[in-house]
Amino acid sequence: MEEVFKLKRATYHLWTFTISKLVSSFGAQVYSFAISFYILQLTGSATSFAANLICSILPRTLVAPFAGYAADKYSRKMIVIVAQIATTIAIGGLLIVSLTAGLSLAAIYTTTVILSLTSLFSGVTFSSSITGLVDETRIQKAMSLNQMSISFAAIGSPAVGGLLYGTVPMPVFLIMYLVASIIAVILESTMNFNLFAKRKEIVEGEEKEPMLQSMKAGFNYAMKQPLLKILIVISLLINFLFGAFQVGYSFILIEKLKIGAQHFGFTEGAFAIGMLLLSIYFSARKELKYPFLVSKWSIVTLGVIMGSIALPLIINMSYVVTVGFYILLMFIFGASMIVTNTPLQVMMQKMIEDDYKGRVLSILETGAMALMPVGMVLFGYLYDVLPAQIILIVSSVLLIGVMLIMARPSVVRSAHPELAKVTPQLEIK
C-alpha cells in the first residue's frame, strides 16, 4: 500500500516539477529578453550589456561548490524554496525601484547577481533531488520533462518578449516574472524531496565535517570512480570545444553570410524545436538500454554538424538554400543535444550516491561555467585572426577525436558489461 502511495506521489512530482520549471523558466527568459533590450536601449553600450552577462556568470562560477555542499548537507526542499522566495523578493524589489525611482544599471546588475545565485542553488539542488522525487524507472522521464519545459520556454519567451517589448512598460515584464516565481514557490512547497531518497541520516550531536573537507571529499569521490570521472571530463571538454560553435555560429551567419535577422531567428527556432521534439520522445519512451553508447555516437554527430556549419563558406550556395541548410542543420543539432545530454544525465543520477550528488554536480557546474568564458574569449580571438571554416573544422575534428578516445570500446564495455556478450569486438582495449 505504501509503495502504491509513493508511486502516485512520484507521478505528482513529475508533473509538478515540470510545471514549476516551465513557469519559472518562462518568466526568467522573458525577463532576460526584456532586460537585455532595455540595457542596450538605455546605454547603447555593448560593454554595459557584457557587464550584465558577467554579473550572471561570475557569481555562479565562484559559488557553485558551496551550492553543492549545501545541497548535500541541508534540507534540499528548504534550499529550493528559500532560493525561489529570494528570487521573488529580488524581482519585487526591482519592481518597486522601477516604479519609484526608475531602473538604473546598478539596480539591474544587483538583481542579476542575486538571480544568478538563486538559480544556481535551486538548479543544483533540484538536480540532486531527482532520485528523491521519482522512482528509478522514471528518472529518464523526469530529465526529459525538465528539458522539455526549458525548450518550451526557449521557444515561447522570445515570441512573447518580442510582442510585448516596446508596447508595454518594463514593470509589466517584472510583474510577469514575479507571478511566475510565486507560482513556482507554491508548487515546490507541496513536493516531498525525500520520497525515494537514500541519504545518510544526520545523527543529533554528531560532529559535522568541515565545509572545505566535505567539498574535497566530494571531489575525491568523483575522481575515485573511473567511469564517472570520464563522464565529467567528457562534459567539460565538450563545453570548452562548443565555444567554437557558440561564438562562430552567429559570426558566420550575420557577418560572413549576411543572413537577415528574421531568417537567423528561424534557424534558432529550429534548434529549440529539435530539442523539444526529442525531449517529448524521451519522456514517452522506455529508458535507453545502452545510454553511454548512444551518447558517444550522438556527440560524434554533434562534431560532424559543427564542422558542417562551415560548408557554405567553402561551397557557394544561394541565399535560400543557405537558410534552408542552416534550419535543417540546427534542427538536427538541437535533437542531438538531447540525445547526448539525457542519457548522460540519467547515468549520473544513477551512479552518484545521494549524499554526494550536490557536490559532484557542482563540480560540473563550476567547470562548465569557468570554461565557457575562457572558450568564448579564445575562440573570439581566433575568429578575428583565422578563417572561420578552419576553426570550425579543426574544433570538429578535435571533438570527434576526444570522444573516440575517451569513449573507446574498453570504456563502453565498463559502462555496459552486457554489451561485450552481444558484440565481442568491444573487448578490444
Side-chain angles (χ1 to χ4, degrees):
M1 192 70 180
E2 184 186 352
E3 193 61 32
V4 173
F5 170 77
K6 287 173 76 173
L7 290 174
K8 284 182 178 179
R9 287 293 293 173
T11 303
Y12 171 79
H13 285 161
L14 269 177
W15 296 111
T16 307
F17 171 71
T18 303
I19 295 167
S20 169
K21 291 293 284 184
L22 175 61
V23 169
S24 58
S25 296
F26 191 85
Q29 291 198 44
V30 168
Y31 164 80
S32 178
F33 179 94
I35 215 70
S36 298
F37 270 82
Y38 184 84
I39 290 171
L40 289 172
Q41 196 174 58
L42 180 68
T43 65
S45 167
T47 303
S48 298
F49 179 75
N52 193 54
L53 290 178
I54 291 169
C55 287
S56 177
I57 294 172
L58 189 59
R60 292 180 70 94
T61 307
L62 296 175
V63 180
F66 299 97
Y69 168 80
D72 284 341
K73 296 300 177 182
Y74 299 100
S75 166
R76 288 174 178 170
K77 180 174 182 175
M78 186 59 65
I79 292 170
V80 168
I81 292 173
V82 169
Q84 200 63 55
I85 290 172
T87 298
T88 307
I89 293 170
I91 293 299
L94 191 62
L95 176 61
I96 292 169
V97 169
S98 70
L99 293 172
T100 55
L103 287 178
S104 64
L105 284 179
I108 291 171
Y109 292 160
T110 302
T111 305
T112 299
V113 169
I114 295 169
L115 295 180
S116 172
L117 293 175
T118 56
S119 67
L120 166 68
F121 276 88
S122 177
V124 168
T125 307
F126 246 134
S127 296
S128 306
S129 304
I130 295 294
T131 49
L133 290 166
V134 300
D135 52 296
E136 193 171 292
T137 59
R138 286 188 279 187
I139 293 174
Q140 177 176 290
K141 190 179 185 71
M143 304 306 293
S144 300
L145 288 172
N146 176 43
Q147 188 59 61
M148 188 172 71
S149 63
I150 294 169
S151 299
F152 264 125
I155 294 169
S157 57
V160 172
L163 285 172
L164 293 179
Y165 194 82
T167 59
V168 299
M170 181 57 67
V172 172
F173 287 95
L174 297 177
I175 290 169
M176 287 176 64
Y177 192 9
L178 187 66
V179 171
S181 186
I182 291 170
I183 292 171
V185 171
I186 294 168
L187 291 172
E188 288 158 6
S189 66
T190 66
M191 299 166 75
N192 179 1
F193 282 64
N194 295 314
L195 189 63
F196 294 95
K198 299 173 183 176
R199 298 178 71 184
K200 180 184 174 184
E201 289 186 17
I202 299 171
V203 180
E204 195 174 338
E206 185 181 8
E207 189 176 341
K208 286 188 178 180
E209 190 177 28
M211 186 189 298
L212 291 178
Q213 189 176 326
S214 177
M215 291 178 184
K216 185 180 177 182
F219 180 80
N220 290 338
Y221 169 85
M223 293 302 104
K224 284 178 181 176
Q225 298 194 51
L227 185 57
L228 180 57
K229 183 166 67 173
I230 286 170
L231 290 177
I232 291 172
V233 172
I234 286 172
S235 299
L236 295 180
L237 285 172
I238 290 171
N239 266 289
F240 176 73
L241 289 171
F242 268 14
F245 164 77
Q246 290 170 315
V247 175
Y249 183 73
S250 300
F251 176 73
I252 289 170
L253 267 69
I254 296 169
E255 291 297 320
K256 295 288 185 183
L257 300 174
K258 307 299 180 186
I259 302 296
Q262 186 180 16
H263 299 141
F264 179 77
F266 289 161
T267 69
E268 298 261 285
F271 175 78
I273 291 169
M275 292 183 71
L276 175 60
L277 291 180
L278 263 292
S279 296
I280 294 170
Y281 169 73
F282 273 116
S283 69
R285 65 152 290 151
K286 290 181 180 179
E287 191 172 308
L288 290 171
K289 194 172 182 182
Y290 306 119
F292 186 69
L293 188 62
V294 170
S295 289
K296 170 184 175 176
W297 293 113
S298 181
I299 293 170
V300 170
T301 302
L302 286 172
V304 172
I305 294 170
M306 189 160 72
S308 301
I309 291 169
L311 204 58
L313 296 175
I314 302 168
I315 300 172
N316 191 32
M317 297 182 183
S318 70
Y319 183 86
V320 173
V321 171
T322 300
V323 172
F325 173 75
Y326 280 120
I327 288 173
L328 177 62
L329 208 62
M330 291 305 287
F331 176 83
I332 299 170
F333 197 88
S336 299
M337 286 288 285
I338 297 300
V339 178
T340 297
N341 290 337
T342 302
L344 289 181
Q345 288 170 352
V346 172
M347 277 189 72
M348 285 190 175
Q349 287 289 339
K350 290 188 171 184
M351 286 173 59
I352 306 168
E353 292 177 29
D354 265 0
D355 285 320
Y356 288 95
K357 270 203 179 92
R359 283 166 287 177
V360 174
L361 293 177
S362 71
I363 291 171
L364 272 174
E365 175 81 20
T366 305
M369 295 306 293
L371 287 174
M372 189 186 297
V374 172
M376 286 185 173
V377 170
L378 173 62
F379 286 109
Y381 169 75
L382 290 175
Y383 277 111
D384 283 338
V385 297
L386 294 173
Q389 56 268 40
I390 290 177
I391 296 168
L392 279 170
I393 292 169
V394 170
S395 299
S396 170
V397 170
L398 284 173
L399 179 60
I400 294 169
V402 163
M403 197 59 213
L404 293 177
I405 293 168
M406 297 296 294
R408 56 195 177 275
S410 59
V411 176
V412 174
R413 182 169 56 83
S414 70
H416 307 301
E418 66 276 19
L419 256 179
K421 300 173 184 176
V422 182
T423 50
Q425 63 266 32
L426 285 173
E427 293 287 346
I428 301 169
K429 294 288 181 184

